[in-house]
Amino acid sequence: MSRSKESDELIFFVNGKKVTEKNADPEVNLLFYLRKVIRLTGTKYGCGGGGCGACTVMISRYDPISKKISHFSVAACLVPICSLHGAAVTTVEGIGSTKTRIHPVQERIAKGHGTQCGFCTPGMVMSIYTLLRNHPEPSTEQIIETLGGNLCRCTGYRPIVESAKSFSPSSACCQMNGKGKCCLDEEEEKNEPERKNSVCTKLYEKEEFQPLDPTQELIFPPELMKMAEDSQNTVLTFRGERTTWIAPGTLNDLLELKVEYPNAPLVIGNTCLGLDMKFKDVSYPIIISPARILELFVVTNTKEGLTLGAGLSLTQVKNILSDVVSRIPKEKTQIYCALLKHLRTLAGQQIRNVASLGGHIISRLPTSDLNPILGVGNCILNVASTEGTQQIPLNDHFLAGVPDASLKPEQVLISVFVPLTRKWEFVSAFRQAPRQQNAFATVNAGMRVVFKEDTSTITDLSILYGGIGTTVVSANKSCQQLIGRHWDEEMLNDAGKMIREEVSLLTAAPGGMVEYRKTLAISFLFKFYLDVLKQLKMRDPRRYPDISQKLLHILEDFPLTMPHGTQSFKDVDSQQPLQDPIGRPIMHQSGIKHATGEAVFCDDMSVLAGELFLAVVTSSKPHAKIISLDTSEALASPGVVDVITAHDVPGDNGREEESLYAQDEVICVGQIVCAVAADSYARAKQAAKKVKIVYQDLEPMIVTVQDALQYESFIGPEKKLEQGNVQLAFQCADQILEGEVHLGGQEHFYMETQSVRVVPKGEEKEMDIYVSSQDAAFTQEMVARTLGIPRNRINCHVKRVGGAFGGKTSKPGLLASVAAVAAHKTGRPIRFILERGDDMLITGGRHPLLGKYRIGFMNNGKIKAADIQLYINGGCTPDDSELVIEYALLKLENAYKIPNLRVRGRVCKTNLPSNTAFRGFGFPQGAFVTETCVSAVAAKCHLPPEKVRELNMYTTIDRTIHKQEFDPTNLIKCWETCMENSSYYNRKKAVDEFNQQSFWKKRGIAIIPMKFSVGFPKTFYHQAAALVQIYTDGSVLVAHGGVELGQGINTKMIQVASRELKIPMSYIHLDEMSTVTVPNTVTTGASTGADVNGRAVQNACQILMKRLEPIISQNPNGTWEEWVNEAFIQSISLSATGYFRGYQADMDWEKGEGDMFPYFVFGAACSEVEIDCLTGAHKNIRTDIVMDGSFSINPAVDIGQIEGAFVQGLGLYTLEELKYSPEGVLYTRGPHQYKIASVTDIPEEFHVSLLSPTQNPKAIYSSKGLGEAGTFLGSSVFFAIAAAVAAARKERGLSPIWAINSPATAELIRMACEDQFTNLVPQTDSKCCKPWSIPVA
C-alpha cells in the first residue's frame, strides 16, 4: 500500500457544481463548509449534533458494482467533508429558487403555511425532497419516518405534514373518497348548508400546486461515475491541522492501516465519533474511513440466517430485514422483527441513513437499541486482521467490554451473523424513551427464551438491558436460575424479584430516574411474559391457559401515525373586494424565501473584512468569589486577537444586578466571565478553554424554590390580590382541601440560537448592530449604556428572527453588549453566535413554579374560597421575573368566578441563570395551579370535572379579581362549541368503555376553558410607530416597530397597508426593522404586535390617503401610479409617519385593582389520550380547539399560531424536562437531552376552529392577538393524562392523587400507576446519597 505524503485533492459536487478542495481538513464538517466556505447559507445550524434536522441536505452516491445511484438525507453538521469524495451534495438552494423556479416541495410547504419563522424550513424541505427522489408517491408511514428527525418549534407540524402528504396517493383521513373531496367537506355540505357560505375549511388551494416532475431534477454528475469506476482501490489521504484522514480502497489496505495505527478509530457515519469530537473535545491524530471497502457491505442470506456487512447503514439494514421478514415464516424471523421494531424509531432518518451497523455495535453505547437484541440472539461478529479471521460471540461479555471477549486493536469488524429463530425460540424487544421518535431510550431490552419442544419448560433464557448501567447489562444469574422452570405466573413473580436484585442502580446514577428505570426493567419482563404466552396459546390453544383480553392490549405499541384534522374559520363577506386581503388566509410574506433558503438570518450575513468571532468563558460555579483570572495562555493561542473582561467595559457593566461580564463574583453556572475574540470561531472556542479561573466557593448556594424559602432569598416584594371574605368563606365551606403542585421550567428552544453581529462604523463611535431580537430599542439602549455613548450612535437592525417566544426580549441586549465591548476594544466587526449548548446554559427559560393552595368548596363542587401562593424560581437576577409573577396572579383565576379569593406571589432568587419572558408570560403556570384545584375539587366530590368547571365558570358580565369588567359570552360559546365539535360526552362514554376492557392501557379525556388577557401592564408599552413611503412608480415601502419572529406580523402589516391604500399586496414591500427608521420601539410580544403596529401602519396610510384625496377626486378613473405622480408634481409629501398611542392600561397594586388589559381572548380545548401503564408512554389521540379570534386578519397565520402555541404547551406540560444537578448545573443542553415535541407527539386528530366573529372595538379591524393564548390549552393533554392515571389507580384500588406535578413525563405516569411491579422496587432515600438531578421548583 502506497500513500501520498501530501494531501490528496478532495473532489465532490454541490448542486451540480464541482468542488475541488486541495487542503481538506478532516475536522471540518459539511455544514461549516457549505455556510462559511462556499457561502450556501440556506442550510442552517440548529444544534450541531444531528438532533434537530435544520442542517439536512441530500447526498447522492454512485455504486460501480450495482450501477445504481442512491440518494439519502444527512445531517450536514455530522458529515466530515473528507467523507464526501466522489459524492454529490444537494442543498435547498440546489432544488429551486425565486431566481429560477421553485420546486414543488418548496411551493407546497410555503403555500400550505408550513413555515413560520422559517429557520427549520430548509431542513424540512430537504427531508421531503430526498424522500421524493426515492419514492415519488410516498406512503404515510414513509412520510412520518422521514420527518421524525426534523424539529420545528413554531408550526405544530400539522401544516408541514399536510404539505408532504400532498405528494402521497392516499389520505390519512378518508383516501379522498375517490371523488377529490374530503369526507369532512361532504358532511359539511350535507348537514350544514346554512354554514356553507360562512365557514371555510380551506387555508390554501391545492389545485394551484405544480405537479412533481422527477425528470426535472439534477442529474448525477457523470464525472463522479467515472471517478467511482476508476478509483476503487486507491488510498486517499487528507491531512488537516490536527488530524489525518485515511480512506483505504481494499480490505488488505485497511488491515495494514490498523496494524500501523491500532488506536485509530474507524469512521463511516460519524454519528458517534462526531458527537465526541464536537461535545467532548476529543481529537484523533489519525482517522480511518473504510467506507469504500466492498467486503463491509456484503449481504449473505443462508438457511441458518443473515450475514450483514458491518458497513451497511441502519436504513439499509432495516430495508434488508423488512424484505426477509416479508418472505419467511414469522417464527423464523423473531430476531429480525425485534430489530425492525427498534429501527423504526432509533434516532432520526438522517442519522439512520449514515450510521453503520458495525459502528453501532462496536461503540457499545449503554443506550444502544440494537445491541441488547443482537446480544440475546446468539449473533456472531466476523472480524479480520492481517493474521486472519476470527469469530467473536456478540454476547453479554462482549457488550460489557470484557477484554477477552472484545476485538483487538488491530482487528476490524467485517460482518455480523444474525441467525434465524427456531420453532420454540421466542425473541422480543422493548424500549421506552422520553419521546416516541428520535430519542435515546431511557431503558431498552432484548429478551429471548427457548422451550423444550411442545412444553413451556425453559431450556434457555437471555435478558439484556440498555440504559441501566454504563454498558449493556445482563440478567444472566436470574436467567440461569429460571432454566427448567415453567412459563407461568409463579416463574414471573420469582423472575421479577431476581431481576430487582441483580439489575441494580445507585441513587446517584447518571441520568437519574432510578426507581423508574428499575421498574421498567421488571415491566418489560412482564410484557415479554405475556407476549410469549400469547404466542404459545396461538400454537396450542388447549395446552396453555387463557389470557384475558384486558391484559393483551399492552402488547400493542402506540403506532407512528399521520396527524390530520380540519381548520375552520369564517370566510370573508361575499361583498368584500377581491383585492382586499383582510380576513383571507394569505401565505407568509417570506414563505417562499424560507423554503428556498433565500431568507437571510443574522448568521447568514456575509463575513466582513477583519471580522472576528467571539466565544465566551462561563462560570463553572453557582456562587463563588473569583480569586484569579489568567488569560495569558488564551491570548497566546493561534488566531486570538484579544480577551475581553469586565475591565474593558467603558460604560455600565450591565443593569439591575445583571453584569455583562462577571467581576469579583459569580452567581450562577453559565454566567459570562470573559470572551475570546479570534479570527475563527473554532480558534476562539479552543482558546476559551485555556482561560484559567480560580474560584472560592461562597455560601449559601441556593438552587431550588425550597432553598430560597429557607434562606428568605427573594427578588422584589410579595404581590397580593384579594376579593371577598376568604376567612369567612372557608368557615362556610362543606370541605377544605390543601396541597401543593410543582410545574417545571421550559427551554425556549428557538431554532435560531442567540445571534448578533456588531460592526463599528469608524467614526463618532457609531455602530451597526445586526441582532436576532424581539426588542431592538432595548438592545440599542443596553449597548449605548455599556459603551457610555448616546443611543443615536447605535443602529439596531432586525430583518427576521428564527423563533423567539419571549427568549429574545432581554437576553439579546446583554449578549449584544458583550459583543459591542469586544468590537469597541478591537475596532473590528464581531460575530457572536451562541452554540445550542451555550444558549441553553446561559439564557434561562420559563420560570419553574411551586403552587400552594387551600380550597373551600361545597359538596356540589361549587368553590367558595381559595387561598393560593405562587413561588417562581427567578434565577440570579431580576430580568422580567417580577412582571411574570404579577401576570401569574392577575390571570390565575382563568375562566372561574371564585367569589372569595386570595392570591399571593413571590419571585425566588436562586443561583441559577436568570429566567425570563416566555410565551404566555406567567399565565401557563398560574392557570395550571387553578385547573389543578378545580380537578381536585371534582375528584373530592366524585363529580365529572367538566361539570365542576361549568359550575364555577363566569357566566354573566362580571369583574375579574383585579376589578376589570368583562363579558364572558364568548367564553361560554367557546366552551359549548368545543363540547359539540369534540362530541365530548359520546367520547367520554367510549373512553369509559375502553377502560373497562383494558387493564394495562387507559384512556383519558379532558376539556379545559381559557380566559386569556392580552397586553402589557402600562399604556406606554402599547405605543407603536410606522413609516410608510410611496415612490413615484407606485411601489410602497412600509416600516414599523414590530419584529418578524415567525408570527406573520409583516404579512399582516402588508395586508393592512393593502386595504388602507386600496392597492394590491404586490405593490408593497416591507424591509428590515431598524431603530433608525422607527425609533423608541417597544418589545414585540404580549400578543399585541399586529394590534399596535397595525394601528400605526393604518394611521400612516390614512394620512397619505387624505393627502391624495383631492387628486383622486379630480381624476376618479385614474390609476394609482397616475395619482402618485400627480402628488409628486404638486409637491405633496408621499411619506408619512403613523403613530398609535396605545391602549389604556393601569394597575394599582395597593388597591389591587386596575383595567390592565385591552381585551380578552377566550378559548377551549378538548384532548383525549391513551397511556401505557407499564411504561408511562402516552399517545395523543385527538384534540379539538375552539378559539375566539374575533375577525381574523389572516386565518392561516392565526390558526398557525394557535397550533404552534398548543404544541409548545403540550411540550411544557407533558414532555419537556429541564434537569439540574444539586449544584445548579444544567444537564439538558441540546436536543439529545431535552425533548421538545416531534411530529409524532402531536394529536393524531387535530382540529382547530375559530369562533364565529364578534366585535372587538379595541383592536384593528376587530381582530384579536392569538400568539400566546394557545399555550395554556396544551394543559388539556395533561389533564387527560391525569384522568387516565386516575382511572388506572381507581381500578387498582389506590387512593386518588389530588395534584399531579408537571410535566407528566413517562416517568411520572408510570410511577403514578402503581402496581405489583412498582412495589417490587424500593423507594430511594435521597438523604443517604446525593441524587443525580433535583427539581428546582
Side-chain angles (χ1 to χ4, degrees):
M1 174 182 63
S2 61
R3 294 203 314 274
S4 167
K5 291 184 179 180
E6 302 299 320
S7 271
D8 289 308
E9 280 191 347
L10 175 68
I11 297 172
F12 60 103
F13 276 64
V14 176
N15 299 333
K17 295 180 181 177
K18 185 177 179 178
V19 175
T20 302
E21 180 59 54
K22 295 183 178 180
N23 299 297
D25 188 336
E27 293 187 282
V28 170
N29 63 51
L30 175 58
L31 177 63
F32 177 89
Y33 196 83
L34 290 172
R35 292 182 57 79
K36 304 301 181 183
V37 179
I38 56 178
R39 297 294 307 151
L40 292 174
T41 58
T43 309
K44 306 300 181 194
Y45 165 85
C47 70
C52 71
C55 65
T56 303
V57 299
M58 185 179 83
I59 290 180
S60 304
R61 286 192 180 275
Y62 173 72
D63 181 356
I65 307 299
S66 67
K67 310 296 183 186
K68 290 182 179 178
I69 298 164
S70 60
H71 308 288
F72 49 96
S73 58
V74 301
C77 65
L78 288 181
V79 177
I81 58 165
C82 293
S83 69
L84 293 172
H85 190 75
V89 177
T90 306
T91 73
V92 70
E93 294 96 338
I95 71 169
S97 76
T98 57
K99 300 180 184 72
T100 53
R101 54 178 281 278
I102 61 170
H103 192 275
V105 176
Q106 296 167 324
E107 177 194 38
R108 295 186 194 192
I109 206 165
K111 292 183 177 177
H113 313 292
T115 172
Q116 287 186 20
C117 84
F119 202 81
C120 76
T121 309
M124 293 284 182
V125 165
M126 290 312 298
S127 284
I128 299 168
Y129 173 80
T130 308
L131 172 65
L132 296 177
R133 288 298 301 265
N134 292 308
H135 306 281
E137 292 189 342
S139 67
T140 54
E141 182 184 357
Q142 288 169 334
I143 292 170
I144 290 299
E145 283 192 8
T146 291
L147 294 177
N150 291 76
L151 297 179
C152 174
R153 197 54 157 166
C154 294
T155 65
Y157 297 103
R158 192 272 314 159
I160 297 171
V161 172
E162 272 196 7
S163 301
K165 195 167 63 177
S166 68
F167 295 101
S168 177
S170 63
S171 163
C173 75
C174 62
Q175 321 306 314
M176 298 299 283
N177 279 333
K179 301 176 184 177
K181 286 186 178 178
C182 173
C183 57
L184 294 164
D185 291 337
E186 289 195 342
E187 285 298 310
E188 183 179 285
E189 291 174 18
K190 194 188 308 175
N191 300 326
E192 302 180 72
E194 72 280 0
R195 292 178 60 192
K196 191 173 178 185
N197 293 325
S198 60
V199 175
C200 184
T201 57
K202 291 175 73 173
L203 290 171
Y204 53 91
E205 297 292 337
K206 292 180 183 177
E207 296 76 20
E208 294 179 4
F209 291 160
Q210 58 176 316
L212 178 68
D213 184 357
T215 65
Q216 296 301 302
E217 309 297 357
L218 283 171
I219 64 165
F220 188 82
E223 181 179 343
L224 293 183
M225 291 183 180
K226 189 172 186 307
M227 270 180 59
E229 300 279 1
D230 295 345
S231 62
Q232 268 301 105
N233 300 325
T234 56
V235 179
L236 297 170
T237 305
F238 304 109
R239 302 181 191 279
E241 194 174 313
R242 300 190 302 173
T243 301
T244 296
W245 178 284
I246 306 174
T250 67
L251 181 58
N252 285 337
D253 290 344
L254 172 61
L255 299 180
E256 286 177 19
L257 282 167
K258 278 301 282 178
V259 171
E260 188 177 353
Y261 306 108
N263 297 320
L266 302 188
V267 172
I268 289 184
N270 200 44
T271 56
C272 183
L273 193 78
L275 295 177
D276 288 346
M277 292 172 71
K278 168 76 177 176
F279 298 114
K280 298 179 182 177
D281 201 29
V282 175
S283 66
Y284 298 91
I286 301 290
I287 292 175
I288 301 171
S289 172
R292 297 184 300 136
I293 310 302
L294 297 180
E295 288 86 344
L296 299 188
F297 299 89
V298 173
V299 179
T300 308
N301 194 348
T302 67
K303 62 182 180 181
E304 283 79 30
L306 269 175
T307 299
L308 300 167
L312 292 168
S313 73
L314 298 183
T315 296
Q316 290 171 319
V317 171
K318 175 176 170 287
N319 293 338
I320 292 162
L321 292 177
S322 297
D323 177 60
V324 172
V325 165
S326 69
R327 295 186 285 105
I328 294 179
K330 187 177 179 182
E331 67 180 37
K332 292 186 176 184
T333 61
Q334 297 223 355
I335 297 175
Y336 304 165
C337 290
L339 291 168
L340 276 172
K341 177 183 174 184
H342 283 183
L343 281 166
R344 289 190 182 98
T345 54
L346 189 157
Q349 184 81 40
Q350 297 90 329
I351 303 301
R352 292 195 298 270
N353 285 340
V354 293
S356 67
L357 176 63
H360 186 92
I361 293 169
I362 294 296
S363 62
R364 290 188 281 213
L365 294 174
T367 53
S368 161
D369 280 332
L370 304 186
N371 283 352
I373 306 168
L374 296 167
V376 300
N378 290 325
C379 297
I380 300 293
L381 302 178
N382 298 308
V383 304
S385 69
T386 53
E387 295 180 1
T389 60
Q390 183 185 350
Q391 291 189 328
I392 297 176
L394 202 174
N395 55 19
D396 54 342
H397 296 293
F398 169 81
L399 293 174
V402 176
D404 291 344
S406 299
L407 277 72
K408 294 171 183 158
E410 68 274 13
Q411 289 181 321
V412 173
L413 176 60
I414 303 299
S415 62
V416 185
F417 171 69
V418 187
L420 293 168
T421 43
R422 293 163 287 162
K423 184 175 181 182
W424 293 96
E425 182 179 10
F426 301 89
V427 180
S428 292
F430 307 95
R431 80 186 299 267
Q432 178 55 41
R435 191 172 61 198
Q436 197 176 12
Q437 265 186 312
N438 196 15
F440 286 123
T442 306
V443 175
N444 55 30
M447 299 185 182
R448 170 182 164 272
V449 66
V450 182
F451 296 112
K452 184 179 178 181
E453 191 168 344
D454 288 327
T455 73
S456 63
T457 303
I458 302 170
T459 60
D460 195 11
L461 180 64
S462 305
I463 298 175
L464 291 174
Y465 290 108
I468 295 289
T470 54
T471 63
V472 170
V473 173
S474 170
N476 187 52
K477 290 180 183 177
S478 303
C479 292
Q480 290 302 310
Q481 291 178 60
L482 293 168
I483 290 175
R485 297 281 297 270
H486 289 287
W487 197 256
D488 54 24
E489 287 194 22
E490 186 181 350
M491 181 281 303
L492 174 68
N493 293 335
D494 290 344
K497 293 170 186 173
M498 292 175 188
I499 285 175
R500 175 193 63 190
E501 299 303 321
E502 184 175 3
V503 180
S504 59
L505 268 173
L506 297 174
T507 304
M513 302 183 285
V514 171
E515 291 170 33
Y516 174 52
R517 288 196 274 170
K518 288 179 179 177
T519 302
L520 281 176
I522 302 170
S523 299
F524 287 161
L525 176 67
F526 176 63
K527 280 198 171 192
F528 183 51
Y529 168 77
L530 277 182
D531 190 17
V532 172
L533 202 58
K534 177 187 173 186
Q535 293 185 64
L536 289 172
K537 180 74 176 172
M538 289 168 65
R539 294 189 183 185
D540 191 343
R542 290 171 297 179
R543 183 186 294 269
Y544 303 101
D546 289 332
I547 313 169
S548 168
Q549 195 62 35
K550 286 186 73 170
L551 302 180
L552 289 179
H553 278 289
I554 199 61
L555 296 178
E556 300 164 11
D557 285 336
F558 294 128
L560 297 175
T561 51
M562 172 78 80
H564 63 276
T566 55
Q567 306 78 46
S568 58
F569 56 95
K570 186 183 184 299
D571 206 352
V572 297
D573 190 285
S574 58
Q575 303 302 309
Q576 181 172 317
L578 286 174
Q579 186 176 285
D580 183 353
I582 297 297
R584 302 186 193 276
I586 304 293
M587 178 181 67
H588 193 290
Q589 169 237 9
S590 294
I592 295 292
K593 287 181 286 184
H594 290 160
T596 60
E598 293 169 277
V600 177
F601 292 86
C602 187
D603 192 36
D604 297 338
M605 301 176 78
S606 298
V607 175
L608 298 173
E611 186 170 303
L612 299 177
F613 298 80
L614 211 61
V616 289
V617 178
T618 59
S619 166
S620 59
K621 298 284 187 177
H623 190 196
K625 184 179 180 181
I626 299 175
I627 302 299
S628 65
L629 175 63
D630 181 1
T631 63
S632 57
E633 193 178 346
L635 277 166
S637 298
V640 172
V641 173
D642 216 330
V643 176
I644 298 90
T645 69
H647 299 294
D648 297 312
V649 179
D652 293 341
N653 185 30
R655 65 179 186 106
E656 294 184 53
E657 304 174 30
E658 184 156 24
S659 302
L660 302 182
Y661 294 97
Q663 192 169 10
D664 303 327
E665 184 181 327
V666 292
I667 52 177
C668 72
V669 175
Q671 184 177 3
I672 295 173
V673 178
C674 62
V676 178
D679 59 7
S680 75
Y681 178 70
R683 285 177 160 178
K685 188 179 177 183
Q686 285 298 323
K689 292 170 184 170
K690 298 176 183 177
V691 173
K692 295 182 176 64
I693 307 171
V694 177
Y695 298 101
Q696 180 183 327
D697 289 335
L698 295 174
E699 295 292 336
M701 178 183 70
I702 300 170
V703 175
T704 69
V705 166
Q706 284 78 6
D707 293 342
L709 294 176
Q710 178 186 340
Y711 289 102
E712 297 186 353
S713 176
F714 300 109
I715 294 170
E718 179 183 77
K719 294 291 183 179
K720 178 181 174 182
L721 291 170
E722 187 169 352
Q723 65 184 11
N725 190 327
V726 177
Q727 189 173 348
L728 181 62
F730 273 118
Q731 295 172 6
C732 301
D734 290 340
Q735 298 185 61
I736 293 175
L737 182 64
E738 293 187 57
E740 64 181 45
V741 66
H742 301 256
L743 176 71
Q746 186 178 25
E747 162 62 28
H748 297 93
F749 211 94
Y750 26 68
M751 293 304 292
E752 177 201 29
T753 59
Q754 298 276 356
S755 305
V756 61
R757 289 175 72 246
V758 179
V759 182
K761 296 176 78 172
E763 58 178 283
E764 300 286 345
K765 298 182 179 179
E766 292 177 316
M767 281 191 182
D768 277 326
I769 314 282
Y770 300 89
V771 62
S772 181
S773 171
Q774 294 173 248
D775 194 342
F778 176 71
T779 300
Q780 177 192 41
E781 174 195 345
M782 273 204 74
V783 171
R785 280 203 342 219
T786 301
L787 299 180
I789 59 177
R791 290 191 208 176
N792 63 4
R793 305 295 201 281
I794 306 297
N795 182 16
C796 280
H797 308 258
V798 187
K799 180 71 174 178
R800 58 175 58 82
V801 174
F805 318 112
K808 293 178 179 175
T809 303
S810 60
K811 300 301 181 185
L814 183 147
L815 297 171
S817 299
V818 166
V821 174
H824 171 81
K825 187 180 182 186
T826 63
R828 291 164 67 172
I830 295 287
R831 186 179 296 249
F832 185 23
I833 313 295
L834 285 186
E835 290 191 275
R836 178 64 62 186
D838 290 337
D839 191 299
M840 293 182 73
L841 177 68
I842 292 168
T843 61
R846 192 186 297 279
H847 294 74
L849 173 136
L850 165 63
K852 297 185 176 184
Y853 57 83
R854 186 168 185 253
I855 325 161
F857 52 96
M858 309 308 289
N859 290 331
N860 69 349
K862 186 71 174 176
I863 299 174
K864 290 295 185 181
D867 190 353
I868 297 174
Q869 291 176 280
L870 304 182
Y871 299 96
I872 61 172
N873 194 324
C876 58
T877 66
D879 201 277
D880 287 322
S881 295
E882 288 187 81
L883 263 182
V884 170
I885 197 67
E886 287 181 9
Y887 270 46
L889 297 178
L890 290 162
K891 303 182 181 192
L892 176 140
E893 66 178 15
N894 191 23
Y896 306 110
K897 174 66 176 178
I898 302 173
N900 306 285
L901 175 62
R902 180 189 300 128
V903 293
R904 290 168 286 173
R906 295 298 301 264
V907 178
C908 296
K909 185 177 183 180
T910 64
N911 295 116
L912 293 181
S914 185
N915 286 311
T916 187
F918 203 134
R919 196 179 208 164
F921 207 80
F923 177 63
Q925 296 105 305
F928 172 77
V929 176
T930 302
E931 291 298 339
T932 297
C933 294
V934 175
S935 296
V937 168
K940 270 294 234 180
C941 296
H942 305 288
L943 292 169
E946 69 277 4
K947 293 299 183 187
V948 175
R949 288 188 164 91
E950 284 177 354
L951 182 66
N952 289 286
M953 228 182 283
Y954 281 103
T955 55
T956 59
I957 293 175
D958 211 322
R959 291 186 179 274
T960 65
I961 189 173
H962 55 90
K963 312 297 188 293
Q964 181 168 345
E965 185 176 281
F966 81 103
D967 183 349
T969 301
N970 282 0
L971 169 65
I972 302 303
K973 281 183 182 177
C974 285
W975 175 264
E976 291 174 347
T977 306
C978 191
M979 277 279 189
E980 180 185 345
N981 289 359
S982 64
S983 306
Y984 179 80
Y985 287 111
N986 287 339
R987 285 173 52 218
K988 188 175 183 184
K989 184 180 176 183
V991 164
D992 292 339
E993 289 172 358
F994 176 90
N995 289 341
Q996 288 169 13
Q997 295 163 14
S998 174
F999 185 80
W1000 292 111
K1001 283 189 176 177
K1002 295 294 179 187
R1003 288 186 179 178
I1005 189 169
I1007 183 166
I1008 302 293
M1010 181 195 68
K1011 169 174 68 71
F1012 178 79
S1013 37
V1014 169
F1016 290 105
K1018 298 288 184 184
T1019 300
F1020 69 83
Y1021 279 125
H1022 293 116
Q1023 65 183 301
L1027 176 64
V1028 178
Q1029 302 175 102
I1030 306 173
Y1031 295 89
T1032 53
D1033 64 351
S1035 64
V1036 175
L1037 181 65
V1038 175
H1040 62 90
V1043 176
E1044 178 56 69
L1045 313 167
Q1047 83 283 40
I1049 188 172
N1050 285 354
T1051 309
K1052 287 185 174 181
M1053 294 308 97
I1054 292 173
Q1055 288 177 268
V1056 170
S1058 173
R1059 167 176 275 192
E1060 295 298 330
L1061 298 176
K1062 298 181 177 60
I1063 57 174
M1065 290 177 65
S1066 59
Y1067 280 44
I1068 303 162
H1069 178 64
L1070 209 152
D1071 198 15
E1072 66 178 13
M1073 186 272 159
S1074 163
T1075 52
V1076 167
T1077 315
V1078 182
N1080 307 318
T1081 56
V1082 177
T1083 187
T1084 302
S1087 302
T1088 62
D1091 282 11
V1092 299
N1093 288 288
R1095 290 278 200 183
V1097 170
Q1098 182 186 42
N1099 178 238
C1101 291
Q1102 288 174 349
I1103 290 169
L1104 289 167
M1105 288 303 285
K1106 192 167 184 180
R1107 293 176 189 167
L1108 292 174
E1109 265 179 21
I1111 294 170
I1112 296 171
S1113 62
Q1114 289 172 10
N1115 181 19
N1117 296 320
T1119 65
W1120 169 255
E1121 290 82 357
E1122 288 171 349
W1123 297 333
V1124 167
N1125 272 286
E1126 183 59 31
F1128 177 74
I1129 290 167
Q1130 293 185 24
S1131 300
I1132 295 172
S1133 172
L1134 292 172
S1135 173
T1137 297
Y1139 189 67
F1140 177 60
R1141 293 196 63 185
Y1143 304 117
Q1144 192 66 30
D1146 293 298
M1147 180 67 197
D1148 187 330
W1149 279 95
E1150 291 294 321
K1151 295 179 181 178
E1153 61 182 56
D1155 280 354
M1156 275 282 290
F1157 306 109
Y1159 60 85
F1160 297 86
V1161 169
F1162 305 105
C1166 173
S1167 290
E1168 181 183 351
V1169 303
E1170 185 176 322
I1171 66 170
D1172 181 328
C1173 300
L1174 276 174
T1175 64
H1178 79 272
K1179 179 72 176 173
N1180 297 319
I1181 296 171
R1182 176 174 169 177
T1183 291
D1184 294 81
I1185 296 175
V1186 178
M1187 192 73 85
D1188 163 35
S1190 202
F1191 287 88
S1192 171
I1193 292 175
N1194 187 327
V1197 166
D1198 286 341
I1199 288 172
Q1201 287 292 287
I1202 294 165
E1203 290 175 335
F1206 172 83
V1207 172
Q1208 200 169 61
L1210 177 154
L1212 166 66
Y1213 296 116
T1214 69
L1215 279 173
E1216 299 177 38
E1217 192 172 23
L1218 291 166
K1219 295 194 174 182
Y1220 295 88
S1221 76
E1223 294 75 35
V1225 178
L1226 180 67
Y1227 289 131
T1228 43
R1229 298 192 202 172
H1232 289 296
Q1233 304 92 15
Y1234 185 80
K1235 298 301 175 187
I1236 69 171
S1238 72
V1239 67
T1240 51
D1241 296 304
I1242 72 171
E1244 187 177 343
E1245 277 191 68
F1246 195 6
H1247 307 292
V1248 177
S1249 178
L1250 296 182
L1251 193 69
S1252 295
T1254 53
Q1255 291 297 318
N1256 176 30
K1258 290 289 184 74
I1260 185 168
Y1261 307 141
S1262 248
S1263 62
K1264 286 191 175 182
L1266 301 177
E1268 296 174 281
T1271 310
F1272 172 67
L1273 293 181
S1275 70
S1276 61
V1277 176
F1278 174 92
F1279 288 105
I1281 289 172
V1285 168
R1289 291 182 64 85
K1290 184 178 180 181
E1291 187 169 24
R1292 288 154 176 73
L1294 300 168
S1295 58
I1297 301 175
W1298 306 120
I1300 294 179
N1301 295 331
S1302 174
T1305 59
E1307 178 190 13
L1308 185 145
I1309 295 168
R1310 176 62 187 102
M1311 301 314 288
C1313 296
E1314 297 172 45
D1315 52 39
Q1316 65 267 39
F1317 307 120
T1318 57
N1319 293 338
L1320 276 175
V1321 177
Q1323 289 203 343
T1324 323
D1325 184 5
S1326 59
K1327 293 178 183 176
C1328 68
C1329 183
K1330 187 186 289 185
W1332 179 75
S1333 70
I1334 57 170
V1336 297

